[in-house]
Amino acid sequence: MLNIKSLKHLSLRLQINIDTIKEVSNSIGAHCSLIEIQKKGKTRLVFSTSDKLKMIQLAILNKLLSKIQINPSAHGAVKKKSPKTNALIHCGQRFVLCLDLKSCYPNIHSSRVRRLFEEKLGCSPSVSRVLTRLTTFNYHLAQGFHTSSAILNIICIDLDNNIEKYLANKNLFYTRYIDDITISGPFISQNTTIMIKEIVVKNGLVLNFLKEKFSNGNQAISVTGINISGRLPKVPRTYKRKLRAAEDQIQNNKQSRNPVDTAKQIKSIEGRKNYIKHIES
């Protein structure tokens, strides 16, 4: 519980001037803009925040949201957890079910965020409205806002609790990495799959059936981009092949390429090598 009952109290908790909070919350559109980023070869639209909004959102994240105890099954945007810790839980399990929450942030309406602050976290209506304006845009959670993942984790506390309760006596493992749900174990029945989906829907979330994956041990499966077929997590072979191809391309075209571009590519390759080392060490 946050139990923040006035804007003055909010200002004290965030250690940010109350006039700055009011100014930014009343003109949120002036403090963020859409930008394109490249991730895994795909273009994604995310919101970029002004320095003022970034400062406020990081204060909300670090001084308020991070204090809320979430379910241990959540691994995304959680300190000391990562895609690796998420995948480790499921390594070597024969049956694996992967579900995806469709358009996760856009499907979390600002009214739900306001109710979270007011009804679950104990803030006054006025404080809840301001916090909602500072953490949503165009009436929903925004990709790129520093607070979005933490808010989603808090919203999903009931989801995580309900799934864990249902699986308690089934010898199955459950984790959630932001919008990726994974369940694994020696056997997953069709009825269990149906019930898990019903729990997700009952918690006001939407499933992306196109990204649903199921393995009964006859084929390799990855969780958050990590192969979990063996006892320990592995980076998929396709990732390593692409890395080797990138290295060969630089070596073959080293003399003809712009030095600045080459330096960027070399840095990118080193980053990918470190990622492999982190996952497989």
Side-chain angles (χ1 to χ4, degrees):
M1 295 287 281
L2 297 177
N3 292 317
I4 303 173
K5 302 301 183 182
S6 68
L7 292 183
K8 182 178 180 181
H9 186 194
L10 177 63
S11 172
L12 290 171
R13 289 284 295 271
L14 296 180
Q15 296 182 325
I16 295 175
N17 183 279
I18 191 170
D19 291 331
T20 300
I21 294 173
K22 287 180 178 179
E23 183 269 313
V24 175
S25 67
N26 289 329
S27 57
I28 193 75
H31 290 275
C32 61
S33 57
L34 268 177
I35 62 170
E36 289 186 354
I37 63 168
Q38 292 287 330
K39 190 173 183 181
K40 297 180 180 179
K42 297 180 180 178
T43 300
R44 177 179 293 182
L45 291 174
V46 301
F47 284 95
S48 175
T49 58
S50 69
D51 289 341
K52 272 188 180 181
L53 181 55
K54 179 180 179 180
M55 172 189 68
I56 294 173
Q57 287 184 349
L58 287 176
I60 293 172
L61 174 64
N62 296 322
K63 299 179 187 300
L64 303 182
L65 301 178
S66 64
K67 309 298 182 184
I68 306 300
Q69 186 173 355
I70 60 175
N71 189 291
S73 298
H75 285 253
V78 179
K79 286 183 179 179
K80 297 183 179 180
K81 291 187 177 182
S82 66
K84 181 180 179 178
T85 64
N86 183 72
L88 269 170
I89 305 260
H90 307 286
C91 278
Q93 297 298 326
R94 182 181 176 187
F95 279 70
V96 183
L97 171 67
C98 298
L99 301 175
D100 180 85
L101 301 179
K102 185 176 182 180
S103 302
C104 195
Y105 293 149
N107 277 329
I108 302 294
H109 197 271
S110 57
S111 61
R112 187 169 185 176
V113 176
R114 182 187 55 76
R115 289 196 303 273
L116 174 73
F117 283 121
E118 187 172 344
E119 297 173 9
K120 291 195 173 184
L121 300 181
C123 297
S124 68
S126 60
V127 169
S128 297
R129 285 193 295 270
V130 168
L131 284 171
T132 300
R133 286 200 296 267
L134 291 167
T135 57
T136 63
F137 188 69
N138 283 344
Y139 304 104
H140 57 75
L141 286 183
Q143 184 82 38
F145 274 20
H146 305 280
T147 47
S148 291
S149 295
I151 289 174
L152 177 67
N153 280 340
I154 298 170
I155 284 174
C156 285
I157 288 174
D158 288 343
L159 170 70
D160 297 336
N161 289 344
N162 292 340
I163 292 179
E164 280 202 335
K165 184 178 179 181
Y166 174 73
L167 297 177
N169 300 315
K170 296 185 180 296
N171 193 25
L172 293 172
F173 301 95
Y174 164 70
T175 62
R176 181 181 54 79
Y177 192 90
I178 309 296
D179 55 356
D180 290 317
I181 289 172
T182 307
I183 294 160
S184 68
F187 179 72
I188 300 174
S189 69
Q190 185 177 9
N191 184 64
T192 293
T193 300
I194 292 170
M195 289 302 298
I196 294 298
K197 292 179 181 179
E198 286 185 3
I199 291 171
V200 172
V201 173
K202 284 179 180 178
N203 278 270
L205 298 163
V206 181
L207 285 167
N208 185 348
F209 295 104
L210 295 177
K211 291 187 176 182
E212 180 179 327
K213 294 186 292 184
F214 181 79
S215 173
N216 59 4
N218 293 326
Q219 65 271 10
I221 193 167
S222 61
V223 172
T224 52
I226 300 171
N227 189 309
I228 59 166
S229 299
R231 188 175 59 87
L232 294 173
K234 292 281 186 182
V235 174
R237 292 175 182 175
T238 52
Y239 186 96
K240 294 176 180 177
R241 281 199 294 267
K242 288 179 180 178
L243 176 58
R244 287 195 294 270
E247 288 182 299
D248 291 342
Q249 186 180 36
I250 286 181
Q251 192 63 35
N252 294 334
N253 301 315
K254 203 168 188 179
Q255 301 301 322
S256 61
R257 295 182 67 86
N258 184 307
V260 175
D261 292 338
T262 300
K264 286 181 179 179
Q265 285 201 318
I266 291 173
K267 186 177 180 181
S268 173
I269 286 171
E270 288 303 315
R272 282 183 275 177
K273 284 183 176 179
N274 288 333
Y275 168 75
I276 294 172
K277 184 178 179 181
H278 164 70
I279 295 300
E280 299 187 351
S281 62

